[in-house]
């Protein structure tokens, strides 16, 4: 069965059981401080499990793109070495939010596997939670009794907390789980050892395919459990592993999910996959790594996450670099090649994931550029590593040096180790690990945060956002909690029954402001959304927690932010109008000071285009367009109106649309009431963020005014300096020309001076031991000294020169030695200046025939000149 059909059957099976089929959510997580990427199917539904939002349907099924490369689930280093862990994989899931529970979840899983997919019962094992004496959680006898109805009891295994108890984090919903494992070994292998003994033992053909989680508890901050009022089902089946079983192969990489990619890699790199019988043959590992990683990186970029130096972007960069490194080292790829695989990816996966088709060009460009830049890093790193090798005494390179190379140059440590071993050198791995640990401890200490339980003041309170219409309200605190971190110290998070504060989102910063009750004022420093709850951050806890507070948003900041946000929409429209509709928003950041807008476009904007864009936006401002806002309209309706939706954004079923004239966008942010409020729009910079992605930064309103005043002041001052010239630009050009010609004159005068000096110096050269020798202090700068030295050297053989000079209180030494002397007498100018440089308290170097040194002590020049004779004596 083809993988496409396997996925479709899963979804239609659960659709028939009254589940709503939903598309995969974007992989990059927003609004959740604990997580960068979706790492399990349940993540997009977290707010339902936490009870923050009511699920729109109590039964849902989907195939979710998951990425396990950071935090609690990190499979990155395994990928390539085994045949069943990926960075990016699809998790097929069925969900019950307070609807059906264990009985149905188990029955349906069994029905699907054995009757629809027709997997032989005799290759299946299931596990249940055995209980935990330490924290008193009981064994899951309920699940055991249900499984008994379907499978022989000797195939039901008991497992511990690690494998059979699922938790969202340190706190929150959790519960026991049942895993379903397959044993796809040959009969011969099975005869040797029972599958039972290989479950959860990292055997590549005895693997877990499905996990059924029974969410029935809530874990509190003190570690204790309480029963959840509503029980939920969360299941996750690894799609690629299921394909392996149903396609009768022994490795995920032999399924049709991967084989097209692998064939392409073989062609491009002229290598062969699966040729060697030895396990973990390096070519095979490299091909698995690359075929896996290109998927992860391509899907992330398509989801709007570009490689970068921080956060989620950095994780993506590291995955791609790992792939480049394996290609570089084991497939001998010294030029970019991974980007070439995007074509196959979009052909084979475009049906299920249309973004891979629409974003193909961008994905290719970004990957190619990343590859190029990392290959350059590798080149540079190799040079540095060679230098380290040269300086190394003995047979071991210090961990500290290797760490420096790794930390500041991003040069991979395994590559360092490999290259060293080729040179018969060792790497002090322990020393390296120690340095790495030190760095980890430093960053951990900086980011460690502890979070208390919520203290609930009002039970089952709903929270309402009223900040589109009001900047002030009387509010009550419904719950609060304390967080403590090294960075911020103690902070409080407050939730209100209603709030005018806008929570950071859609590129717009969170509101600031204050709370006031009886003159007790507490400042709100930031507002953020966490799993769909609006959280207000304060440094102090208000005194009268149970009373009504006046909550006031900082109006000035909000207003300026709104000017920038509306201008961002107009800018988006301008770019599509002027550059073309290939322009897509790739990110934005809007605050009171400025706006930033990233978008796809393949070349630098010309001066003319930038002027046109500014003029376009300012024309919309001049048109005084009113805000037309539609709240809670069905998404389809808004799209039909012509609203632009952004890829990689998670939208609900109903949306809010924002229109100013012809600009219509789906947007949750806040905006001015009329475009004339913006006053003026001015671009301050335009540049590249990545290949095919440009960034414009711009200002509006007060910032634009300030810029105007500053510029006009500077202009007046400049004009005054130019004696109020009528045409200041012309006057400046004249000055520049004059300056250039003066510089030329000085240069030629200096040349003449050097010539004269040369004549004098020639007469001062004396012969010592067959060497033409001169040591003298001159009044010339470094370039002058060099000129004179080379001029003399061109005319006189067997020459040894040492010149000293004092310039701006610093000392200079210049040594010139004819090449024949270097060869015959083993003289070395570099060595001379290094040694004599000490006398002027400095150092230097150069080549054997010419070298210079600089130092702090002009007093030492005379000594140095005195010592020069020793070299030829
Ligand atoms: P394993 O022990 O094999 O790493 P897990 O316990 O981490 O699996 P779960 O967190 O329960 O897995 O995830 C549910 C399902 O997702 C698993 O049964 C498996 O089929 C699949 N899965 C988990 N991790 C990966 C991965 N890195 N690559 C591919 N599939 C995976
Ligand atoms: Mg795992």
């Amino acid at each position: 069965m083809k993988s496409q059909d396997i996925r479709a059957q899963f979804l239609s099976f659960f659709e028939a059981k009254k589940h709503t089929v939903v598309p995969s959510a974007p992989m990059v997580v927003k609004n959740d401080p604990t997580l960068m990427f979706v790492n399990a199917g349940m993540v997009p539904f977290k707010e339902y499990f936490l009870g923050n939002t009511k699920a729109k349907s109590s039964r849902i099924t989907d195939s979710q793109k998951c990425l396990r490369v950071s935090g609690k689930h990190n499979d990155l280093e395994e990928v390539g070495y085994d045949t069943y862990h990926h960075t990016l994989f699809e998790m097929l899931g069925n969900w019950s939010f307070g609807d059906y529970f264990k009985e149905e979840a188990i029955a349906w899983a069994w029905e699907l596997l054995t009757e629809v997919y027709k997997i032989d019962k005799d290759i299946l094992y299931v596990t249940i939670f055995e209980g935990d004496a330490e924290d008193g959680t009981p064994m899951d006898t309920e699940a055991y009794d249900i499984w008994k109805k379907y499978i022989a009891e000797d195939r039901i295994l008991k497992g511990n907390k690690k494998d059979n108890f699922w938790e969202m984090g340190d706190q929150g919903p959790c519960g026991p789980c049942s895993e379903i494992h397959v044993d796809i070994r040959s009969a011969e292998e099975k005869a040797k050892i029972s599958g039972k003994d290989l479950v959860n033992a990292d055997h590549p053909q005895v693997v877990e395919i499905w996990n059924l989680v029974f969410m029935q508890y809530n874990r509190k901050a003190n570690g204790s459990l309480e029963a959840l009022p509503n029980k939920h089902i969360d299941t996750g089946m690894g799609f690629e592993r299921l394909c392996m079983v149903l396609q009768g192969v022994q490795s995920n990489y032999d399924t049709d999910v991967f084989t097209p990619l692998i064939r392409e890699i073989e062609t491009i790199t002229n290598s062969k996959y699966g040729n060697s019988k030895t396990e973990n043959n390096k070519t095979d590992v490299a091909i698995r790594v690359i075929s896996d990683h290109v998927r992860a990186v391509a899907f992330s970029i398509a989801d709007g996450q570009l490689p970068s130096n921080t956060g989620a972007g950095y994780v993506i960069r590291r995955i791609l670099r790992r792939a480049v490194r394996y290609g570089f080292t084991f497939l001998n790829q010294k030029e970019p090649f991974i980007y070439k695989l995007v074509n196959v990816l979009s052909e084979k996966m475009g049906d299920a994931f249309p973004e891979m088709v629409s974003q193909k060009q961008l994905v290719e460009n970004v990957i190619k550029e990343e590859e190029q830049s990392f290959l350059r890093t590798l080149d540079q790193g190799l040079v540095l590593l060679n230098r380290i090798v040269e300086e190394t005494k003995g047979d071991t390179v210090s961990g500290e040096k290797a760490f420096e190379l790794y930390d500041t140059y991003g040069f991979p440590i395994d590559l360092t180790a490999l290259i060293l071993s080729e040179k018969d050198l060792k790497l002090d791995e322990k020393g390296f690990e120690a340095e790495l640990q030190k760095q980890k401890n430093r960053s951990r200490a900086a980011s460690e945060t502890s979070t208390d339980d919520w203290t609930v003041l009002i039970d089952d309170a709903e929270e309402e956002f009223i900040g589109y219409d009001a900047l002030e309200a009387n509010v009550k605190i419904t719950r609060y909690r304390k967080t403590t971190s090294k960075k911020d110290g103690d902070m409080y998070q407050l939730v209100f029954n209603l709030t005018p504060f806008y929570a950071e989102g859609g590129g717009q910063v969170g509101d600031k402001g204050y709370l006031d009750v009886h003159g007790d004022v507490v400042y709100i420093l930031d507002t953020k959304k966490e799993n769909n709850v609006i959280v207000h951050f304060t440094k102090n806890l208000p005194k009268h927690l149970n009373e009504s507070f006046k909550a006031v948003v900082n109006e000035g900041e909000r207003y300026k932010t709104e000017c920038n946000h509306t201008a961002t929409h107009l800018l988006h429209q301008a770019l599509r109008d002027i550059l073309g509709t290939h322009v897509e928003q790739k990110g934005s950041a809007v605050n009171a000071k400025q706006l930033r807008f990233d978008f796809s476009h393949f070349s630098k904007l010309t001066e003319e285009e930038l002027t046109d864009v500014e003029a376009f936006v300012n024309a919309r401002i001049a048109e005084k367009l009113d805000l037309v806002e539609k709240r809670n309209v069905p998404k389809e309706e808004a799209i039909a109106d012509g609203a632009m939706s952004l890829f990689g954004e998670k939208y609900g079923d109903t949306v809010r649309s924002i229109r100013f004239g012809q600009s219509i966008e789906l947007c949750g942010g806040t905006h001015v009431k009329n475009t004339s409020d913006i006053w003026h729009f001015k671009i301050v910079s335009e540049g590249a963020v990545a290949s095919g992605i440009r960034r414009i930064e711009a200002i509006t309103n007060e910032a634009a005014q300030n810029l105007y005043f500053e510029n006009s002041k500077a202009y007046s001052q400049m004009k005054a300096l130019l004696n109020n010239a009528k045409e200041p630009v012309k006057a400046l050009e004249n000055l520049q020309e004059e300056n250039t010609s003066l510089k030329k004159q000085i240069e030629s005068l200096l040349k003449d001076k050097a010539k004269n000096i040369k004549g004098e110096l020639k007469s001062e050269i004396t012969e010592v031991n067959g060497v033409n020798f001169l040591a003298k202090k001159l009044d010339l700068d470094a370039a002058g000294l060099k000129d004179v030295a080379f001029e003399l050297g061109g005319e006189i053989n067997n020459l040894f020169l040492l010149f000293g000079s004092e310039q701006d209180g610093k000392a200079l030494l210049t040594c010139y030695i004819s090449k024949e002397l270097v060869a015959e007498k083993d003289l070395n100018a570099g060595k001379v200046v290094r040694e004599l440089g000490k006398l002027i308290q400095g150092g230097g170097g150069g080549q054997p025939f010419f070298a210079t040194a600089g130092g702090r002590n002009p007093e030492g020049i005379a000594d140095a000149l005195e010592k020069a004779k020793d070299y030829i004596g």
Side-chain angles (χ1 to χ4, degrees), residues 772-787:
N772 292 316
F773 174 83
L774 176 65
K776 190 172 163 74
K777 189 170 170 187
L778 301 174
D779 181 23
L780 286 174
D781 65 0
L785 294 176
K786 186 175 176 185
D787 275 351

mmCIF file with all atom_site columns, all heavy atoms in Angstrom, residues 772-787:
data_model
loop_
_atom_site.group_PDB
_atom_site.id
_atom_site.type_symbol
_atom_site.label_atom_id
_atom_site.label_alt_id
_atom_site.label_comp_id
_atom_site.label_asym_id
_atom_site.label_entity_id
_atom_site.label_seq_id
_atom_site.pdbx_PDB_ins_code
_atom_site.Cartn_x
_atom_site.Cartn_y
_atom_site.Cartn_z
_atom_site.occupancy
_atom_site.B_iso_or_equiv
_atom_site.pdbx_formal_charge
_atom_site.auth_seq_id
_atom_site.auth_comp_id
_atom_site.auth_asym_id
_atom_site.auth_atom_id
_atom_site.pdbx_PDB_model_num
ATOM 1   N N   . ASN A 1 772 ? 76.437 45.079 3.021  1.00 0.00 ? 772 ASN A N   1
ATOM 2   C CA  . ASN A 1 772 ? 76.184 46.522 2.981  1.00 0.00 ? 772 ASN A CA  1
ATOM 3   C C   . ASN A 1 772 ? 75.174 46.870 4.065  1.00 0.00 ? 772 ASN A C   1
ATOM 4   O O   . ASN A 1 772 ? 74.015 46.456 3.993  1.00 0.00 ? 772 ASN A O   1
ATOM 5   C CB  . ASN A 1 772 ? 75.659 46.928 1.609  1.00 0.00 ? 772 ASN A CB  1
ATOM 6   C CG  . ASN A 1 772 ? 76.741 46.756 0.570  1.00 0.00 ? 772 ASN A CG  1
ATOM 7   O OD1 . ASN A 1 772 ? 77.896 47.125 0.804  1.00 0.00 ? 772 ASN A OD1 1
ATOM 8   N ND2 . ASN A 1 772 ? 76.379 46.149 -0.559 1.00 0.00 ? 772 ASN A ND2 1
ATOM 9   N N   . PHE A 1 773 ? 75.631 47.631 5.069  1.00 0.00 ? 773 PHE A N   1
ATOM 10  C CA  . PHE A 1 773 ? 74.851 47.772 6.294  1.00 0.00 ? 773 PHE A CA  1
ATOM 11  C C   . PHE A 1 773 ? 74.496 49.223 6.587  1.00 0.00 ? 773 PHE A C   1
ATOM 12  O O   . PHE A 1 773 ? 75.291 50.129 6.402  1.00 0.00 ? 773 PHE A O   1
ATOM 13  C CB  . PHE A 1 773 ? 75.684 47.192 7.453  1.00 0.00 ? 773 PHE A CB  1
ATOM 14  C CG  . PHE A 1 773 ? 75.046 47.402 8.791  1.00 0.00 ? 773 PHE A CG  1
ATOM 15  C CD1 . PHE A 1 773 ? 74.058 46.533 9.252  1.00 0.00 ? 773 PHE A CD1 1
ATOM 16  C CD2 . PHE A 1 773 ? 75.427 48.473 9.591  1.00 0.00 ? 773 PHE A CD2 1
ATOM 17  C CE1 . PHE A 1 773 ? 73.469 46.729 10.481 1.00 0.00 ? 773 PHE A CE1 1
ATOM 18  C CE2 . PHE A 1 773 ? 74.843 48.678 10.828 1.00 0.00 ? 773 PHE A CE2 1
ATOM 19  C CZ  . PHE A 1 773 ? 73.855 47.792 11.277 1.00 0.00 ? 773 PHE A CZ  1
ATOM 20  N N   . LEU A 1 774 ? 73.230 49.391 7.042  1.00 0.00 ? 774 LEU A N   1
ATOM 21  C CA  . LEU A 1 774 ? 72.867 50.720 7.555  1.00 0.00 ? 774 LEU A CA  1
ATOM 22  C C   . LEU A 1 774 ? 71.777 50.568 8.620  1.00 0.00 ? 774 LEU A C   1
ATOM 23  O O   . LEU A 1 774 ? 70.784 49.856 8.423  1.00 0.00 ? 774 LEU A O   1
ATOM 24  C CB  . LEU A 1 774 ? 72.332 51.615 6.428  1.00 0.00 ? 774 LEU A CB  1
ATOM 25  C CG  . LEU A 1 774 ? 71.840 53.000 6.898  1.00 0.00 ? 774 LEU A CG  1
ATOM 26  C CD1 . LEU A 1 774 ? 72.994 53.843 7.453  1.00 0.00 ? 774 LEU A CD1 1
ATOM 27  C CD2 . LEU A 1 774 ? 71.151 53.746 5.760  1.00 0.00 ? 774 LEU A CD2 1
ATOM 28  N N   . ALA A 1 775 ? 71.932 51.207 9.786  1.00 0.00 ? 775 ALA A N   1
ATOM 29  C CA  . ALA A 1 775 ? 70.899 51.251 10.820 1.00 0.00 ? 775 ALA A CA  1
ATOM 30  C C   . ALA A 1 775 ? 70.732 52.711 11.175 1.00 0.00 ? 775 ALA A C   1
ATOM 31  O O   . ALA A 1 775 ? 71.693 53.367 11.570 1.00 0.00 ? 775 ALA A O   1
ATOM 32  C CB  . ALA A 1 775 ? 71.317 50.438 12.033 1.00 0.00 ? 775 ALA A CB  1
ATOM 33  N N   . LYS A 1 776 ? 69.500 53.220 11.011 1.00 0.00 ? 776 LYS A N   1
ATOM 34  C CA  . LYS A 1 776 ? 69.344 54.667 11.189 1.00 0.00 ? 776 LYS A CA  1
ATOM 35  C C   . LYS A 1 776 ? 67.901 55.034 11.534 1.00 0.00 ? 776 LYS A C   1
ATOM 36  O O   . LYS A 1 776 ? 66.957 54.376 11.121 1.00 0.00 ? 776 LYS A O   1
ATOM 37  C CB  . LYS A 1 776 ? 69.746 55.360 9.884  1.00 0.00 ? 776 LYS A CB  1
ATOM 38  C CG  . LYS A 1 776 ? 69.858 56.867 10.027 1.00 0.00 ? 776 LYS A CG  1
ATOM 39  C CD  . LYS A 1 776 ? 70.453 57.446 8.746  1.00 0.00 ? 776 LYS A CD  1
ATOM 40  C CE  . LYS A 1 776 ? 70.229 58.916 8.628  1.00 0.00 ? 776 LYS A CE  1
ATOM 41  N NZ  . LYS A 1 776 ? 70.865 59.868 9.314  1.00 0.00 ? 776 LYS A NZ  1
ATOM 42  N N   . LYS A 1 777 ? 67.784 56.127 12.310 1.00 0.00 ? 777 LYS A N   1
ATOM 43  C CA  . LYS A 1 777 ? 66.451 56.638 12.615 1.00 0.00 ? 777 LYS A CA  1
ATOM 44  C C   . LYS A 1 777 ? 66.074 57.677 11.568 1.00 0.00 ? 777 LYS A C   1
ATOM 45  O O   . LYS A 1 777 ? 66.879 58.532 11.234 1.00 0.00 ? 777 LYS A O   1
ATOM 46  C CB  . LYS A 1 777 ? 66.466 57.277 14.001 1.00 0.00 ? 777 LYS A CB  1
ATOM 47  C CG  . LYS A 1 777 ? 65.082 57.648 14.502 1.00 0.00 ? 777 LYS A CG  1
ATOM 48  C CD  . LYS A 1 777 ? 65.115 58.060 15.968 1.00 0.00 ? 777 LYS A CD  1
ATOM 49  C CE  . LYS A 1 777 ? 63.778 58.655 16.343 1.00 0.00 ? 777 LYS A CE  1
ATOM 50  N NZ  . LYS A 1 777 ? 63.769 59.222 17.675 1.00 0.00 ? 777 LYS A NZ  1
ATOM 51  N N   . LEU A 1 778 ? 64.837 57.544 11.019 1.00 0.00 ? 778 LEU A N   1
ATOM 52  C CA  . LEU A 1 778 ? 64.388 58.472 9.980  1.00 0.00 ? 778 LEU A CA  1
ATOM 53  C C   . LEU A 1 778 ? 63.063 59.111 10.396 1.00 0.00 ? 778 LEU A C   1
ATOM 54  O O   . LEU A 1 778 ? 62.322 58.549 11.214 1.00 0.00 ? 778 LEU A O   1
ATOM 55  C CB  . LEU A 1 778 ? 64.172 57.721 8.663  1.00 0.00 ? 778 LEU A CB  1
ATOM 56  C CG  . LEU A 1 778 ? 65.369 56.991 8.083  1.00 0.00 ? 778 LEU A CG  1
ATOM 57  C CD1 . LEU A 1 778 ? 64.937 56.197 6.861  1.00 0.00 ? 778 LEU A CD1 1
ATOM 58  C CD2 . LEU A 1 778 ? 66.459 57.984 7.703  1.00 0.00 ? 778 LEU A CD2 1
ATOM 59  N N   . ASP A 1 779 ? 62.742 60.238 9.782  1.00 0.00 ? 779 ASP A N   1
ATOM 60  C CA  . ASP A 1 779 ? 61.453 60.850 10.075 1.00 0.00 ? 779 ASP A CA  1
ATOM 61  C C   . ASP A 1 779 ? 60.465 60.535 8.950  1.00 0.00 ? 779 ASP A C   1
ATOM 62  O O   . ASP A 1 779 ? 60.107 61.395 8.155  1.00 0.00 ? 779 ASP A O   1
ATOM 63  C CB  . ASP A 1 779 ? 61.645 62.365 10.234 1.00 0.00 ? 779 ASP A CB  1
ATOM 64  C CG  . ASP A 1 779 ? 60.322 63.039 10.557 1.00 0.00 ? 779 ASP A CG  1
ATOM 65  O OD1 . ASP A 1 779 ? 59.415 62.333 11.085 1.00 0.00 ? 779 ASP A OD1 1
ATOM 66  O OD2 . ASP A 1 779 ? 60.180 64.243 10.270 1.00 0.00 ? 779 ASP A OD2 1
ATOM 67  N N   . LEU A 1 780 ? 60.055 59.269 8.884  1.00 0.00 ? 780 LEU A N   1
ATOM 68  C CA  . LEU A 1 780 ? 59.105 58.828 7.848  1.00 0.00 ? 780 LEU A CA  1
ATOM 69  C C   . LEU A 1 780 ? 58.061 57.913 8.480  1.00 0.00 ? 780 LEU A C   1
ATOM 70  O O   . LEU A 1 780 ? 58.327 57.278 9.500  1.00 0.00 ? 780 LEU A O   1
ATOM 71  C CB  . LEU A 1 780 ? 59.841 58.023 6.764  1.00 0.00 ? 780 LEU A CB  1
ATOM 72  C CG  . LEU A 1 780 ? 60.723 58.792 5.779  1.00 0.00 ? 780 LEU A CG  1
ATOM 73  C CD1 . LEU A 1 780 ? 61.471 57.810 4.888  1.00 0.00 ? 780 LEU A CD1 1
ATOM 74  C CD2 . LEU A 1 780 ? 59.885 59.733 4.931  1.00 0.00 ? 780 LEU A CD2 1
ATOM 75  N N   . ASP A 1 781 ? 56.894 57.841 7.871  1.00 0.00 ? 781 ASP A N   1
ATOM 76  C CA  . ASP A 1 781 ? 55.894 56.884 8.391  1.00 0.00 ? 781 ASP A CA  1
ATOM 77  C C   . ASP A 1 781 ? 56.183 55.493 7.832  1.00 0.00 ? 781 ASP A C   1
ATOM 78  O O   . ASP A 1 781 ? 57.126 55.309 7.041  1.00 0.00 ? 781 ASP A O   1
ATOM 79  C CB  . ASP A 1 781 ? 54.476 57.359 8.061  1.00 0.00 ? 781 ASP A CB  1
ATOM 80  C CG  . ASP A 1 781 ? 54.208 57.367 6.565  1.00 0.00 ? 781 ASP A CG  1
ATOM 81  O OD1 . ASP A 1 781 ? 55.124 57.011 5.795  1.00 0.00 ? 781 ASP A OD1 1
ATOM 82  O OD2 . ASP A 1 781 ? 53.088 57.738 6.173  1.00 0.00 ? 781 ASP A OD2 1
ATOM 83  N N   . ALA A 1 782 ? 55.356 54.524 8.226  1.00 0.00 ? 782 ALA A N   1
ATOM 84  C CA  . ALA A 1 782 ? 55.632 53.128 7.864  1.00 0.00 ? 782 ALA A CA  1
ATOM 85  C C   . ALA A 1 782 ? 55.746 52.953 6.352  1.00 0.00 ? 782 ALA A C   1
ATOM 86  O O   . ALA A 1 782 ? 56.647 52.276 5.858  1.00 0.00 ? 782 ALA A O   1
ATOM 87  C CB  . ALA A 1 782 ? 54.533 52.227 8.431  1.00 0.00 ? 782 ALA A CB  1
ATOM 88  N N   . ALA A 1 783 ? 54.817 53.608 5.606  1.00 0.00 ? 783 ALA A N   1
ATOM 89  C CA  . ALA A 1 783 ? 54.845 53.451 4.151  1.00 0.00 ? 783 ALA A CA  1
ATOM 90  C C   . ALA A 1 783 ? 56.116 54.064 3.568  1.00 0.00 ? 783 ALA A C   1
ATOM 91  O O   . ALA A 1 783 ? 56.726 53.491 2.649  1.00 0.00 ? 783 ALA A O   1
ATOM 92  C CB  . ALA A 1 783 ? 53.607 54.113 3.533  1.00 0.00 ? 783 ALA A CB  1
ATOM 93  N N   . GLY A 1 784 ? 56.523 55.208 4.119  1.00 0.00 ? 784 GLY A N   1
ATOM 94  C CA  . GLY A 1 784 ? 57.740 55.876 3.651  1.00 0.00 ? 784 GLY A CA  1
ATOM 95  C C   . GLY A 1 784 ? 58.959 55.010 3.891  1.00 0.00 ? 784 GLY A C   1
ATOM 96  O O   . GLY A 1 784 ? 59.821 54.860 3.005  1.00 0.00 ? 784 GLY A O   1
ATOM 97  N N   . LEU A 1 785 ? 59.026 54.417 5.089  1.00 0.00 ? 785 LEU A N   1
ATOM 98  C CA  . LEU A 1 785 ? 60.159 53.545 5.417  1.00 0.00 ? 785 LEU A CA  1
ATOM 99  C C   . LEU A 1 785 ? 60.248 52.384 4.434  1.00 0.00 ? 785 LEU A C   1
ATOM 100 O O   . LEU A 1 785 ? 61.320 52.028 3.947  1.00 0.00 ? 785 LEU A O   1
ATOM 101 C CB  . LEU A 1 785 ? 60.015 52.990 6.839  1.00 0.00 ? 785 LEU A CB  1
ATOM 102 C CG  . LEU A 1 785 ? 60.105 54.007 7.994  1.00 0.00 ? 785 LEU A CG  1
ATOM 103 C CD1 . LEU A 1 785 ? 59.833 53.314 9.331  1.00 0.00 ? 785 LEU A CD1 1
ATOM 104 C CD2 . LEU A 1 785 ? 61.481 54.660 8.034  1.00 0.00 ? 785 LEU A CD2 1
ATOM 105 N N   . LYS A 1 786 ? 59.065 51.840 4.136  1.00 0.00 ? 786 LYS A N   1
ATOM 106 C CA  . LYS A 1 786 ? 59.029 50.684 3.233  1.00 0.00 ? 786 LYS A CA  1
ATOM 107 C C   . LYS A 1 786 ? 59.530 51.092 1.838  1.00 0.00 ? 786 LYS A C   1
ATOM 108 O O   . LYS A 1 786 ? 60.348 50.394 1.238  1.00 0.00 ? 786 LYS A O   1
ATOM 109 C CB  . LYS A 1 786 ? 57.600 50.161 3.151  1.00 0.00 ? 786 LYS A CB  1
ATOM 110 C CG  . LYS A 1 786 ? 57.468 48.880 2.353  1.00 0.00 ? 786 LYS A CG  1
ATOM 111 C CD  . LYS A 1 786 ? 56.066 48.333 2.389  1.00 0.00 ? 786 LYS A CD  1
ATOM 112 C CE  . LYS A 1 786 ? 55.990 47.117 1.490  1.00 0.00 ? 786 LYS A CE  1
ATOM 113 N NZ  . LYS A 1 786 ? 54.635 46.592 1.384  1.00 0.00 ? 786 LYS A NZ  1
ATOM 114 N N   . ASP A 1 787 ? 59.003 52.237 1.356  1.00 0.00 ? 787 ASP A N   1
ATOM 115 C CA  . ASP A 1 787 ? 59.412 52.723 0.036  1.00 0.00 ? 787 ASP A CA  1
ATOM 116 C C   . ASP A 1 787 ? 60.934 52.860 -0.060 1.00 0.00 ? 787 ASP A C   1
ATOM 117 O O   . ASP A 1 787 ? 61.563 52.351 -0.992 1.00 0.00 ? 787 ASP A O   1
ATOM 118 C CB  . ASP A 1 787 ? 58.801 54.113 -0.222 1.00 0.00 ? 787 ASP A CB  1
ATOM 119 C CG  . ASP A 1 787 ? 57.403 53.971 -0.781 1.00 0.00 ? 787 ASP A CG  1
ATOM 120 O OD1 . ASP A 1 787 ? 57.025 52.820 -1.112 1.00 0.00 ? 787 ASP A OD1 1
ATOM 121 O OD2 . ASP A 1 787 ? 56.689 54.995 -0.862 1.00 0.00 ? 787 ASP A OD2 1
#
